[in-house]
Amino acid sequence: MSQSRAYAVHRVAGRTLFAVALCASFLISLGTGPGYAAKASDLHGKVLVGYQGWFRCPGDGSPKDAWSHWSKGAPAPETMSVDLYPDTSELKADSRCLLPGVTIGGKPAYVFSSFPKDTVEKHFEWMRSYEIDGALLQRFINSIAPQQAEGDTVLKNVRSAAEANGRVFAVEYDLSGAHPQTALQELQDDWKYLTGTLKITSSPAYLKDHGKPVVAIWGLGFGDASHLQDPALGLAIVKWFKDTAHVRVMGGVPAGWRTLSANSSSNPGWTAVYSALDIVQPWTVGRYRTLESADQWKDTHLIPDLALTRERGQAYMPVIFPGFSWHNLNRNTAENQIPRLGGKFLWRQAYNAKSAGATFVKIAMFDEVNEGTAIFKAASSRKDAPEPGYWLTLDADGEDLPNDWYLRLAAAISRMFRGTATTAPEMPLVAPTPENSGK
């Protein structure tokens, strides 16, 4: 997840063209991107992404010196646990990991490790270049100890990259698999460590809202056994962060939070938890699969959700996603399970969120290749991905798209939410062709 510095540019009458150019050059040198720096002071108009940062491989410098999240065991076509193939052509050698047993056009094939600083810096450079405001860095409650054992390297790199690139960041705790007896204490101890030892909230890039740091807590109120089932515990977590840690709490909640239905627990005690949140962030990945069902979602969920949160004085952050595919992770599922439709699916969700009244949005996710929701640079066509094995590439739906297509789309979404572009239902981008690209 990322954050940013806020730089003020004061226009003074009578300034020379040289001074203006010098000022612009200075801002660019600080990493503010093509036209603006994301302000860390509030959420308004922001487009944030989820950032996993959990990929590892042997030789990357991490303590375990092993493959993580790329495969179940040693990488092979039969063991891979990711679908979307990342484009690693811009990464430095220390960031890349050789995939054994596969090639691309007879040449070595690579993935990447999130551990090296260069990897995170490149990702945040992309966020800057494509006008993504920043990232919510995932911090899984059951991985806190291993992350601390790694020296919290990825978190430190995210902070550094966010500051250097004029982006913002915040911590998003994921409570999946949390133990009811220890969850509250683990969160309290870790937040004290993050703010006391690492001093992350002193970063000018750490996201704040209403003058307070933002902390996201994902996994409140889900009705399945892998999440906390006691609403009293959920409320105690939220109240500790609000009343003792003095932060703005963003709750990652089920899509059916408002009606206690669908993926939400039906226990009425969760209503008090949802009501106590400062910012409501419903998890919608996989809840609809077509343009038509995304439009229906606007009517059945977005509009009434926004009305309720406004009534309660809460903020509301819709979650949108480009598509979904986790065939390699779950071999009994279909390939390209929720098609991206060349970006139309993501754009329609963004338009629906904005036109319903949302003022900021989260894209799930930046680097989540396991479930095929990543929006960073990826292989354009099947010939750009390893053989053998199944890989989701950007031409899966029959369109010839550049490797940065979804970053380009994120930039367009950012402009729409900042109010510098029109809010319209049709995607504003046109896939490049020999005819319209001048080739």
Side-chain angles (χ1 to χ4, degrees), residues 12-75:
V12 180
R15 297 269 182 159
T16 66
L17 183 61
F18 171 79
V20 173
L22 183 62
C23 180
S25 176
F26 172 70
L27 290 176
I28 291 171
S29 73
L30 288 175
T32 56
Y36 80 104
K39 296 187 296 183
S41 58
D42 61 66
L43 280 159
H44 184 77
K46 290 214 170 23
V47 173
L48 302 178
V49 291
Y51 192 76
Q52 302 284 31
W54 61 11
F55 299 100
R56 306 285 187 274
C57 65
D60 64 0
S62 60
K64 287 189 175 180
D65 195 36
W67 290 99
S68 179
H69 286 94
W70 287 113
S71 57
K72 300 171 183 176

Side-chain angles (χ1 to χ4, degrees), residues 29 31 70 141-142 176 178 196-197 219 300 316 337 354 429:
S29 73
W70 287 113
I141 191 169
N142 290 332
S176 300
T197 302
T300 59
Y316 184 79
Q337 193 170 348
K354 182 68 164 60
L429 304 186

